[in-house]
């Protein structure tokens, strides 16, 4: 809320650390993402940019805020996608295009059914599309002209995960939030 921002950021980071290290079995990948981002917020410039504080500084010239915190957040988002793609590349199931078919028949799917096998060719293309997209998104986010396309592609991936999965809602919400630093 803009009150004691550095101290608040520190305690949020400590909170994420304690969750991760005191209860590692109860954590998931999005907990790691939130821990990293809470650290990035801790080391990012904070303070006078909040609207109610800017009213006090109307007569004073406000220097542009340093953007290194936002750049680190962009870099982290790009690393997440690249790491995910590099992790999947050696997998035969990803390369064969069978992952979405298997997933939609598993108990993790929102509506598990063996009837998805009839859509196997489409699901193969979608599986390869996810893999290609995870490689492409970081490069699209890198350049201002393609950043919107990268963000739309990434957000649509997580919307698809949200629709098809019954237990990854918090992951999708966490990943959608990571696109906020891309806003001007």
């Amino acid at each position: 809320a803009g009150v004691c921002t550095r101290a608040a950021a520190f305690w949020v980071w400590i909170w994420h650390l304690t969750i991760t290290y005191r209860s590692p079995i109860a954590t998931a990948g999005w907990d790691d993402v939130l821990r990293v981002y809470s650290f990035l917020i801790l080391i990012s410039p904070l303070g006078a940019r909040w609207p109610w504080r800017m009213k006090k500084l109307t007569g004073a010239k406000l220097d542009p805020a340093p953007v290194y915190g936002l750049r680190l957040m962009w870099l982290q988002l790009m690393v997440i996608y690249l790491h995910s793609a590099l992790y999947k590349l050696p997998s035969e199931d990803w390369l064969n295009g069978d992952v979405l078919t298997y997933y939609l028949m598993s108990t993790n799917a929102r509506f598990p059914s063996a009837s998805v096998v009839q859509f196997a060719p489409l699901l193969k293309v979608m599986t390869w599309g996810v893999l290609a997209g995870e490689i492409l998104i970081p490069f699209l986010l890198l350049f201002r002209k393609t950043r919107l396309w990268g963000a739309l592609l990434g957000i649509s991936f997580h919307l698809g995960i949200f629709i098809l999965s019954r237990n990854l809602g918090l992951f999708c919400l966490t990943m959608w939030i990571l696109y906020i630093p891309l806003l001007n």
Side-chain angles (χ1 to χ4, degrees):
V3 179
C4 301
T5 52
R6 188 69 59 199
F10 174 76
W11 288 112
V12 168
W13 179 59
I14 294 295
W15 178 50
H16 283 294
L17 283 176
T18 58
I19 289 172
T20 303
Y21 295 112
R22 290 193 57 138
S23 184
I25 293 173
T27 62
W30 57 80
D31 292 306
D32 295 329
V33 170
L34 290 174
R35 186 181 70 241
V36 169
Y37 270 78
S38 64
F39 178 74
L40 292 176
I41 290 171
L42 174 65
I43 64 170
S44 295
L46 303 169
R49 298 286 177 234
W50 293 89
W52 53 86
R53 290 192 177 171
M54 289 180 73
K55 289 178 186 172
K56 297 176 187 174
L57 302 172
T58 52
K61 185 174 188 249
L62 199 56
D63 292 331
V67 295
Y68 65 85
L70 294 175
R71 297 299 185 256
L72 288 171
M73 290 177 197
W74 289 358
L75 179 64
Q76 180 62 33
L77 184 60
M78 290 188 285
V79 166
I80 289 170
Y81 282 111
L82 278 177
H83 182 268
S84 179
L86 291 174
Y87 180 77
K88 292 172 184 170
L89 277 175
S91 168
E92 273 188 48
D93 292 330
W94 278 97
L95 295 177
N96 292 338
D98 296 330
V99 169
L100 279 177
T101 305
Y102 294 153
Y103 185 80
L104 291 175
M105 290 190 297
S106 76
T107 58
N108 293 317
R110 190 173 300 270
F111 308 106
S113 172
S115 65
V116 299
V117 173
Q118 64 186 338
F119 301 108
L122 174 64
L123 293 173
K124 278 185 184 290
V125 172
M126 289 174 66
T127 300
W128 294 327
V130 168
L131 195 54
E134 285 184 338
I135 294 169
L136 188 61
I137 287 171
F139 297 104
L140 291 173
L141 294 177
L142 196 56
F143 303 103
R144 184 181 301 267
K145 289 182 180 181
T146 58
R147 195 167 294 145
L148 176 63
W149 293 108
L152 290 174
L153 184 58
I155 290 169
S156 68
F157 275 1
H158 298 292
L159 179 61
I161 292 170
F162 184 78
I163 291 169
L164 296 176
S165 300
R166 68 182 179 126
N167 55 358
L168 291 176
L170 285 176
F171 168 70
C172 296
L173 179 62
T174 300
M175 292 304 292
W176 287 334
I177 290 170
L178 303 185
Y179 286 93
I180 291 173
L182 295 173
L183 298 173
N184 224 356

